[in-house]
Amino acid sequence: ARTDFFEAFKNYDEAGDPRRINCLKYLVLANMLTRSKINPFEGQEAKPYENHPEIKVMTELVDAFLHDEVKKFEKILEMNRKTIMEDIFISKYITELLRTVRSQVLEKMIKPYTRIALPFISKELMIPVEEVEDLLVSLILDGKIKGHIDQIRQILILESRRGDGSRKFLALQKLTEELGRLSTKLRR
């Protein structure tokens, strides 16, 4: 979809068609939904429209998205709700976009932990515990995080990253032993 929106934007832009603005907004939306870290306004084609009144809100959303600032993202959405919701296409995807941003922030937030309380995450993301749990379940099922949820104690228990390291260590140890044996056989 990103490629199609980009091509449509370029064609409308070359033709001077005002529909280029909508295509650019949809390109930005598609970029965020696919978790792309590429800022579409860094390209020479879109740069001139960065401060266009209809595009300015999308520019701000991209900035918050790229910097994983969920609170800023939500504030921009709230302050510009009418403008954003006027576009039927964009309004269909706002919930999914917000979920994408929250998931992205959540993944970064839990990285240093082996256990983290769901109410703590809820407070940080400013969403109900049930939504946090729903996001975590999706991330676990998608394989983006490794762990499980203790629903009784309301904590996320992440699999130890040390386990991966010890397996690597054992593999290296076996390799070293085999190389030692091979070296001994070659000397004879």
Side-chain angles (χ1 to χ4, degrees):
R2 285 184 302 174
T3 308
D4 292 338
F5 284 130
F6 183 68
E7 288 301 317
F9 165 71
K10 280 192 341 188
N11 292 333
Y12 283 136
D13 191 36
E14 287 173 13
D17 192 311
R19 290 182 281 187
R20 67 181 173 253
I21 299 300
N22 280 342
C23 287
L24 184 55
K25 289 195 292 191
Y26 304 154
L27 168 65
V28 171
L29 177 68
N31 259 18
M32 289 187 285
L33 286 171
T34 58
R35 292 181 167 209
S36 174
K37 291 296 181 185
I38 298 169
N39 185 342
F41 296 107
E42 289 179 1
Q44 65 184 16
E45 297 90 347
K47 192 77 170 160
Y49 300 98
E50 193 171 20
N51 293 313
H52 186 282
E54 288 184 56
I55 300 294
K56 187 68 178 155
V57 173
M58 298 304 280
T59 307
E60 293 169 359
L61 285 174
V62 165
D63 184 59
F65 176 82
L66 291 173
H67 294 98
D68 295 323
E69 296 174 355
V70 74
K71 292 174 186 171
K72 181 179 175 185
F73 192 90
E74 288 179 4
K75 184 178 179 183
I76 294 165
L77 281 178
E78 192 57 42
M79 290 174 54
N80 299 284
R81 183 159 297 291
K82 185 179 182 288
T83 309
I84 292 167
M85 293 310 207
E86 280 177 355
D87 189 309
I88 296 166
F89 185 77
I90 291 177
S91 68
K92 285 182 191 176
Y93 294 97
I94 287 300
T95 304
E96 187 178 339
L97 183 58
L98 197 49
R99 185 177 176 83
T100 300
V101 173
R102 286 176 176 156
S103 294
Q104 200 168 273
V105 170
L106 181 56
E107 283 180 72
K108 278 189 170 182
M109 179 192 301
I110 65 173
K111 258 191 180 151
Y113 298 98
T114 55
R115 294 171 185 257
I116 186 168
L118 300 190
F120 172 76
I121 297 170
S122 169
K123 183 180 171 194
E124 290 296 306
L125 293 179
M126 298 182 318
I127 58 174
V129 172
E130 294 77 22
E131 272 188 65
V132 169
E133 191 172 325
D134 186 47
L135 286 173
L136 287 170
V137 166
S138 294
L139 291 170
I140 290 168
L141 292 175
D142 290 345
K144 293 182 179 169
I145 60 173
K146 304 228 182 288
H148 64 278
I149 300 169
D150 180 337
Q151 290 179 316
I152 295 169
R153 297 186 315 184
Q154 286 196 315
I155 60 172
L156 170 67
I157 302 168
L158 295 163
E159 289 179 11
S160 174
R161 287 172 213 76
R162 288 185 210 116
D164 293 340
S166 63
R167 275 187 262 148
K168 289 177 187 174
F169 177 74
L170 287 173
L172 283 173
Q173 188 175 9
K174 285 182 181 179
L175 178 64
T176 304
E177 289 169 4
E178 288 300 318
L179 286 173
R181 286 188 203 117
L182 181 63
S183 175
T184 304
K185 285 182 182 179
L186 289 175
R187 285 188 205 146
R188 292 181 191 179

